[in-house]
Structures are given as structure tokens and as C-alpha cells.
Amino acid sequence: MLAIDLKHPLLPRTPRQFGLLIDGKWRSAQEEKVVERTSPAHDVRVSVYPSGEVADAEAAIVSARRAFDIGPWPKLKAAERSRVLLRAADLIEQRAEELALLDTLENGKPLTQARGEIAGAADLWRYAACLARDLHGDAYTNLGPAMLGVVVREPMGVIAIITPWNFPFLIISQKLPFALAAGCTAVVKPSELTSGSTLVLGEILLEAGLPPGAANIVTGSGRQVGAAMVRHPAVDMISFTGSTAVGKMTVATAAETLKRVSMELGGKNPQLVFADADLEAAVDAVVFGIYFNAGECCNSGSRLLVQREIAGTFLDEVVARSRAVPVGDPLDERTKVGAIISADHLGKIEGYVTDAAAAGAEVRLGGQRLAAERGRFMAPTVVAGVSPEMAIAREEVFGPVLAVLTFDTVEEAVTLANGTGYGLSAGVWSRDYDTCQTAAARIRAGTVWLNTFMEGFAELPFGGFGESGIGRELGRHAALDYTEIKTLQMHRGPRSDWWLPRAQGAQSPLGSQATLS
Ligand code: TXE
């Protein structure tokens, strides 16, 4: 039975109350309804946010539109925008413990891990601040002596940002600072399960000097607030992270007003382990890859594809190390895997394992929820003997459940790797250069890690092929995605090219003389 410490000094005695941020002011929802969040690890009420309605979303959009059309945000010099983003990064660091604790209490992730995410998020705000200073277009001087072509990049406009519950503060920090760096204004809707840290970010942005309306935050359900943002004609672009199902719906609705979309959706990411790999490093990465964030991670390495000649011993070691993973109270600093986000989600995870077993797979470890004094926890689970057509091999389980398949050749490994509709990321483990390069070239995924897994850098683009999404976050592309291109064609010198030909030296009643240059 997992022990949960209800007397932990970091557990709040009373839930924290939040408001909506609209036009630089905090307010309650128009209908004064609220959403209460209970810690999935402790069953204690930790946060209360307004349950926004369509009218709140509309007020936020009007504010963001005004802040874009009238300014001042899009009209500021990049250096001034950059300074606000840098101040925000400093304030994020000053309030890091508070932000990490909120994400831990609302999501159930280990506090030690949440601290790392907040530090990573501050780095993203700084990186976006750098990009703000270097966003520029192109000049074409090769169009002949009479023409200068200038391609300018302008801010895209009002961005609706919709985020999920698995990395609340990190994911908003993969979007909002880049949109702001480009000069856009935003309306943000965090997940109704984990809105706390995003609302604290609102306080930080006001303190950092972001003008009213440049970033608005409306909490509430996806169906009400999120859908209203996607439909609204005054929104120019949607940046969404969440399920593939809602992502597809969002793209369809956004098409009615031809909004730009950036979609970061699910994954069913394989780790390919070849017999010649550094198996010690590979086994550690496999265990990390599936249990990090309790497997509630789009990049989770949820499929292990292992070469048949080492499959037996490698799998034994995966199982042994999985058994040793410390699951428990997220406030305990020794914990590596915390609670599952919701009761429904835990049931869904267990369902995948039950169905796989019924279809003939072998549950080598775990397979069900763990007995705990409070909260909801899933046992680290290893399912072997999985075949490619099983749901556990194709669908995103989003839990600490590893599906194991075997292969003989590089060809077969690549076919298995590409055998789902997703294409977010993959890991390849081999000491052979050719194996690594061949696999990396042929795997259809936005990121391929070679002899490492799930490392992330602000500089490197992140996003998916196929049903894993549209567009890229992070890297230079992130800020460019929030710009619109405008072409300026500038004639210089006297005209020499007339639509209706004119005689050399002919006088015009307009006072000009036709000249040939
Ligand atoms: O996601 P949703 P859920 C996957 C993962 C998980 C599954 C369901 O497989 O098991 O999705 O999670 C908002 N219009 N991922 O239900 O519903 C919603 O309020 C506009 C992968 O939480 O997609 C939230 O803010 N918005 C993923 C956000 O969309 C709507 C991370 C995501 O919620 C909406 C999370 C609507 N009609 C889950 N309906 C990843 N890529 O990392 C909901 N929302």
C-alpha cells in the first residue's frame, strides 16, 4: 500500500483561488461558476478557478484584438518586447517553487521533476527573447536595377493558445513567449485540470510589464471556451497541444475561417534497440522513456522494438529495472513516478492492458492500479508478445505501459516503427553508424534520437509527422510560425516599361516625358 502524507507541509490547508485575466485585470467568470481541482495524489482540493463561458472567451478575444490592432505590443521595438520576456524569465525563476508546487499538486507529477520543468520553461522565455531581436525578412536585389524586393515578416495577429494537463507550465512556455516575441497578442486556455501555473504566469507577465490585453487567460472547459476561441473570426491562428481527436476537430473548425493552425498532438514513439547497442545505456533510456511523467507524455517511448537475438535478456533487465521504479507521493523527493491525472484516465490505461492480454499479449509486470492510501497510481507495466495490430501497439495509452515487439532486420524495425498513424519521435540504439543513419533517414518522425532519448533543447524544432501534428515548436521556426509574410515590390528610378508603348521623348499632358533608361 502506497503511503500518502496528508500532513506534508507543502499541502495547502485551503485551495488557492484564481481569477480570469482579461484586458490586464483579474475577474471572475461572467456566470460566476468555478472549477475545483483536487490533487490526484492526495484527494485534497488544491485550486479553484473560474469556469469561463463563451462570453468570457469573447471578451478576452476583443481585448487581444484591440491590443493587436491599436497596440502598443506589436508596435514596440523588438528590444523592448525582448526586455519584457527577459523580465518574465527572471520572475519565473523567482517564483519557481510556487509554480512547481502548483503543477505537482494539480497534475500529480513528482515535485523534483516539476522543478526541472520550470527551469526549462524560464530558459524558453529567454530563448524567445533572443529570437525577438533577430526576426527579420529578406531583401532581393537581384530583380534588375529598377526593382527592390523586400519580404517583411509581420506579427500574425491574435493567437488562441490551448494547452493540455501533462506539462502545464512547460507547454504554455513553448508557445506564448514565441508568439509574444513575434509581436502577436494572445488568448490562452489552459487545461481545466491544471490551470494554476498558467494563471500565476498571468501575474508574472503583468509584473514584467506586458501591456493589458497582450495576453489574456480564460479558464474553463474545452467545449465552451476552447471551441469559442477556435470559431471566432477575430482570432488569426490556433496553437493547440492535446489529443489527436480534438486536434482534428479544431483543424476542421478553424478551416471555416481559414485560420493558421499549429498542432502538437499525440505519439506512439518507438525505441529501436539493436543487438550491438550500448545495452546498459539503452535499458536506462527505455525505462526513463516510458515512466517519465507516468507515461503521460506525447514523447513517451511507449513501444520497445528490440532485436530478437537480445530480446530475452534485454527484456528481463527492463522488467527488473521497472520493478525498482519508485512510484508514490509526488511531494516525496525520492519519487520518480507520481499519480495519474484522473480516475477516467486510469481506467483507460488499465483497459489497454486488459485488452492486450485478452488478445494474447503477456503482461510481464504490473497491469493494474496500485493500492494506495489516497489518490490514483498505476503500476509500472511491461507487456511483451505484442503484435503490430493490437491497440496497445498503435494507440496512445498515455500511461506507464511499455509495449514490447521484436524484429530481426533494420528493414523490419523501420517498418514496425512507421506502423502507426503517428510520427512524433523515435529513439535508435546501435553502435553501428550505418544502422543509425539508415533508421534515422527512414523513420517518419519529427525527432529521431540516436543513442539518447527525450532530450530537449530550445534551439531544436519539435513537432510531428502524420497524425502527430502540423508545424513545429521551439527553434527559430517557433517564432517564424507566428509571423505573416508581406511582399513589398519597390520600383526605383524613372519608368522604362510602359503597358501602352510611348514614343521616345513624347510629351504628356500630365507633364512627364517618356524616357528610356
Ligand atoms: O485531451 P484534450 P485530454 C492525449 C492523450 C490523452 C488524450 C486525452 O492520449 O489520453 O489526449 O486527453 C481542450 N475545442 N493527449 O482529454 O481533450 C481541453 O480543454 C477546443 C496528448 O485531456 O485534447 C484542453 O485544454 N479545445 C497531448 C486541451 O484541449 C478543446 C497532451 C487538450 O485536451 C476542445 C494531452 C474543443 N472541442 C493529451 N475539447 C500531447 N500532445 O502531449 C477539449 N479542448
Side-chain angles (χ1 to χ4, degrees), residues 425-481:
S425 60
V428 179
W429 293 88
S430 167
R431 285 195 173 98
D432 183 78
Y433 175 84
D434 200 48
T435 303
C436 285
Q437 294 301 316
T438 304
R442 295 194 39 210
I443 290 173
R444 289 187 52 76
T447 299
V448 181
W449 284 285
L450 303 171
N451 295 314
T452 185
F453 196 69
M454 231 199 289
E455 295 200 63
F457 295 91
E459 292 83 352
L460 299 181
F462 167 63
F465 284 41
E467 299 207 344
S468 288
I470 300 172
R472 294 291 178 270
E473 299 193 320
L474 308 184
R476 254 177 350 102
H477 304 261
L480 294 179
D481 235 26

Side-chain angles (χ1 to χ4, degrees), residues 38-235:
T38 298
S39 161
H42 310 92
D43 289 334
V44 168
R45 280 192 322 145
V46 287
S47 308
V48 179
Y49 341 106
S51 179
E53 302 281 330
V54 173
D56 299 298
E58 285 175 350
I61 292 166
V62 167
S63 161
R65 189 77 250 168
R66 201 181 318 116
F68 187 80
D69 292 343
I70 298 171
W73 187 249
K75 298 177 180 157
L76 294 181
K77 287 181 187 152
E80 292 174 89
R81 281 205 294 270
S82 176
R83 223 171 290 135
V84 173
L85 302 183
L86 290 172
R87 273 202 294 270
D90 291 343
L91 292 167
I92 288 168
E93 278 171 351
Q94 281 169 29
R95 295 179 72 171
E97 270 305 297
E98 175 192 359
L99 289 164
L101 182 62
L102 269 169
D103 276 4
T104 287
L105 293 175
E106 294 179 359
N107 170 279
K109 66 176 66 212
L111 183 57
T112 50
Q113 179 193 317
R115 287 180 182 135
E117 289 170 24
I118 305 301
D123 182 53
L124 294 178
W125 283 83
R126 288 208 176 92
Y127 179 65
C130 298
L131 290 182
R133 305 288 300 268
D134 198 35
L135 273 177
H136 56 81
D138 297 305
Y140 287 80
T141 52
N142 56 353
L143 308 173
M147 180 60 66
L148 173 64
V150 176
V151 178
V152 297
R153 284 192 174 269
E154 298 184 347
M156 181 71 204
V158 173
I159 316 296
I161 297 180
I162 299 174
T163 58
W165 44 261
N166 53 343
F167 295 95
F169 199 76
L170 195 58
I171 291 178
I172 185 61
S173 301
Q174 289 179 2
K175 299 176 185 291
L176 184 57
F178 297 92
L180 292 174
C184 296
T185 62
V187 179
V188 177
K189 194 208 86 66
S191 164
E192 48 274 53
L193 302 176
T194 56
S195 302
S197 59
T198 302
L199 291 162
V200 171
L201 177 63
E203 296 175 9
I204 287 173
L205 291 175
L206 292 183
E207 193 181 338
L210 190 73
N216 303 272
I217 305 169
V218 183
T219 49
S221 77
R223 231 168 276 165
Q224 292 270 330
V225 177
M229 286 158 58
V230 176
R231 273 195 312 265
H232 205 289
V235 169

Side-chain angles (χ1 to χ4, degrees), residues 162-166 189-192 221-223 226-227 230 240-243 246 249 264-266 298 345 348 396 398:
I162 299 174
T163 58
W165 44 261
N166 53 343
K189 194 208 86 66
S191 164
E192 48 274 53
S221 77
R223 231 168 276 165
V230 176
F240 174 89
T241 298
S243 62
V246 174
M249 237 160 59
E264 205 278 278
L265 307 175
C298 52
H345 190 56
K348 180 178 136 189
E396 191 175 45
F398 228 55

Side-chain angles (χ1 to χ4, degrees), residues 159-367:
I159 316 296
I161 297 180
I162 299 174
T163 58
W165 44 261
N166 53 343
F167 295 95
F169 199 76
L170 195 58
I171 291 178
I172 185 61
S173 301
Q174 289 179 2
K175 299 176 185 291
L176 184 57
F178 297 92
L180 292 174
C184 296
T185 62
V187 179
V188 177
K189 194 208 86 66
S191 164
E192 48 274 53
L193 302 176
T194 56
S195 302
S197 59
T198 302
L199 291 162
V200 171
L201 177 63
E203 296 175 9
I204 287 173
L205 291 175
L206 292 183
E207 193 181 338
L210 190 73
N216 303 272
I217 305 169
V218 183
T219 49
S221 77
R223 231 168 276 165
Q224 292 270 330
V225 177
M229 286 158 58
V230 176
R231 273 195 312 265
H232 205 289
V235 169
D236 299 295
M237 173 175 168
I238 309 292
S239 175
F240 174 89
T241 298
S243 62
T244 294
V246 174
K248 285 180 180 173
M249 237 160 59
T250 301
V251 173
T253 307
E256 290 167 15
T257 40
L258 275 187
K259 293 178 176 45
R260 183 180 294 175
V261 292
S262 166
M263 297 277 132
E264 205 278 278
L265 307 175
K268 189 70 195 176
N269 316 295
Q271 290 222 58
L272 286 60
V273 180
F274 290 85
D276 64 355
D278 175 349
L279 296 179
E280 214 24 73
V283 77
D284 187 62
V286 166
V287 171
F288 160 65
I290 184 60
Y291 301 126
F292 174 70
N293 212 47
E296 294 168 335
C297 179
C298 52
N299 259 333
S300 169
S302 53
R303 287 185 297 153
L304 166 62
L305 312 183
V306 56
Q307 202 157 24
R308 200 177 312 279
E309 59 194 275
I310 53 154
T313 47
F314 191 78
L315 192 51
D316 287 347
E317 196 52 27
V318 169
V319 170
R321 298 203 190 188
S322 300
R323 199 172 268 125
V325 171
V327 183
D329 190 331
L331 294 174
D332 183 334
E333 306 244 334
R334 291 162 301 186
T335 294
K336 291 267 191 200
V337 175
I340 297 297
I341 189 79
S342 67
D344 283 354
H345 190 56
L346 179 56
K348 180 178 136 189
I349 296 170
E350 286 179 316
Y352 273 107
V353 184
T354 312
D355 290 352
E362 180 196 0
V363 181
R364 288 282 305 268
L365 185 73

